[in-house]
Amino acid sequence: MTAIGTSSTVAVVGTGTMGQGIAQVALVAGHRVRLYDTAPGRAGQAAEAIGGRLDRLVEKGRISADERDAARGRLSPATALAELADAALVIEAILEQLPAKQELFTALEDIVAADCLLATNTSSLSVTAVAGRLRHPGRCVGMHFFNPAPLLPLVEVISGFATDESAATTAYDTAAAWGKKPVRCTDTPGFVVNRIARPFYAEALRVYEERVADPATIDAVLRDGAGFKMGPFELTDLIGQDVNEAVTHSVWQAFFQDPKFTPSLAQRRLVESGLHGRKAGRGWFDYSEGAGRPEPQTAAPCPAPASVGLHAKLPGPAVVLRELIEEAGIKVTRDRTPGESEGFLRLPGGACLALTNGYPATSQVYEKYIRFDLSLDYRAATRIALAASAAVSEADVAEAVGLFQALGKQVSIIEDVPGMIVARTIAMIVDFAVDAAARGVASPEDIDTAMRLGVNYPGGPMEWVQRLGAQWVWDLLDSMHHQNAGGRYVPSWALRRRADLEEWVL
């Protein structure tokens, strides 16, 4: 272990919410902690706030009164940067502005010892650029905590281009000694979480802009149908629309305006209007006192069909639907439609009910097709989205709705769009993750750990690609690419290679 010992001082520069949280983590781990802020009196106020949080930990039985008193004795505000001279580790949590961070570390280099580790908590700036003006950039590393730092376990440890391996190892081991779950990654825009999570927000916003469904319905489909703890609209309201949009824009610019990372005009207008989410009282939803939350679009109850036909095997996770249908008391017969290779369910009225494949239902313009959205666990899902082709009647839709309602699912009818909601979101996240792993951004294991712990995903995207199959994901994105020219949905070469390897192994 090369973790910084608890006899060493840790300094935190910047005393906002994140800075206070990081300081509390180091303090509870047993270090002496010094707080510094350029605003006069701010460090002292932060020390008092941390003391109050320690009091609450005592009330909850998390720490003893003696431990609280000892921690308070180790915490001290600094009135000048020079008072951080004895620190073994300095973590900055100041404004997300490159010149400010460079200026801070340049000043610190003349104050702290030669073996002091300098860490930036940046979420979107280049660690390489932050360290670029230092005489000894090898001791600068990224330690990206997630808010609230005392509660969330993930820490991304980022090696800049010039970061010494020993510095990254010390940062990793120190975070682990503090009870955190660190992951290592290279200095790439967005690192792991903010890179791979972009489609979760971007695809929802794109679906909204395409007038496929309203925010409440999109949130419900991803939450109830895919197992995400929060939908993208309610989550960005919680994060802050200005904060989320700024990270998206930063990553897009850092990737030289790659269309895969294109920001949303709808979100830009929301930010320009000052509707930044919960902190502003309104974002996508109204948070003012007495305001009700809009309900998702949910189909009215419909009778279940007595039987359905099954043509071929349903793909991927949808294969379990046959079991669920039979468990609901609905007879499943064999459908013998000639010339069809795609697995689907034949409804009594003749409509085909099939998992989305990246093409809209209306691509079969003269056929009665209803597409249902992806779920990673159809047994656990409580909501399913459906989209119908123009040839489908209201009676056909009612049969599809009744079928899923008989399985205990709520149903949302959305406008017909390639990839629907869940499938396009999951496929894009998986492709981003596979590409990141292939480029050495992080190991597959660290990618899954980061996405589960950093943004509370119901699973890791590297796990998802194993369950779905890389070929299925590639086919869906390739189909979407042919429907949407511009490069946003072009599947990565890494995904193609993985699909080919899967076929070779099988």
Side-chain angles (χ1 to χ4, degrees), residues 357 427 430-431 465 469-482 489-500:
N357 62 355
V430 164
D431 190 41
V465 72
Q471 185 65 55
W472 187 89
V473 177
W474 194 93
D475 286 342
L476 184 131
L477 289 175
D478 188 55
S479 299
M480 291 191 65
H481 168 58
H482 285 91
Y489 299 107
V490 175
S492 68
W493 166 241
L495 185 65
R496 175 69 270 161
R497 184 168 62 238
R498 186 181 178 104
D500 290 342

Side-chain angles (χ1 to χ4, degrees), residues 24-233:
Q24 181 181 327
V25 170
L27 193 65
V28 171
H31 291 271
R32 292 190 306 274
V33 175
R34 288 206 178 91
L35 294 169
Y36 175 75
D37 200 293
T38 55
R42 188 72 61 81
Q45 294 170 4
E48 291 179 5
I50 293 171
R53 284 198 286 273
L54 294 176
D55 288 340
R56 289 191 288 276
L57 290 179
V58 172
E59 293 170 2
K60 295 178 180 179
R62 305 280 179 82
I63 61 174
S64 68
D66 288 344
E67 289 172 327
R68 173 200 60 196
D69 295 342
R72 279 181 167 172
R74 295 193 301 270
L75 178 63
S76 60
T79 57
L81 205 60
E83 295 177 38
L84 311 185
D86 66 337
L89 167 63
V90 180
I91 305 176
E92 69 80 17
I94 64 173
L95 293 173
E96 194 75 344
Q97 296 176 359
L98 180 59
K101 294 181 188 292
Q102 289 176 326
E103 182 180 347
L104 169 63
F105 281 136
T106 300
L108 282 168
E109 199 170 30
D110 292 330
I111 294 170
V112 299
D115 59 351
C116 175
L117 186 65
L118 302 178
T120 172
N121 183 58
T122 183
S123 61
S124 59
L125 298 176
S126 164
V127 174
T128 302
V130 170
R133 293 185 181 178
L134 295 177
R135 295 189 302 273
H136 304 289
R139 61 169 165 173
C140 185
V141 65
M143 291 185 73
H144 179 215
F145 291 76
F146 288 74
N147 196 28
L151 297 180
L152 294 186
L154 183 67
V155 177
E156 291 178 322
V157 177
I158 306 107
S159 292
F161 185 78
T163 301
D164 292 337
E165 177 65 22
S166 59
T169 300
T170 296
Y172 183 97
D173 290 345
T174 299
W178 290 356
K180 296 301 182 181
K181 181 61 180 176
V183 297
R184 299 188 68 162
C185 61
T186 59
D187 188 17
T188 185
F191 311 135
V192 179
V193 172
N194 278 328
R195 173 180 177 150
I196 296 173
R198 289 348 295 161
F200 181 68
Y201 314 110
E203 291 310 305
L205 289 162
R206 183 81 168 231
V207 167
Y208 168 76
E209 290 172 338
E210 293 169 349
R211 298 294 187 231
V212 174
D214 60 273
T217 300
I218 296 169
D219 275 359
V221 169
L222 282 161
R223 188 178 57 243
D224 305 338
F228 290 98
K229 299 298 182 184
M230 297 180 73
F233 292 95

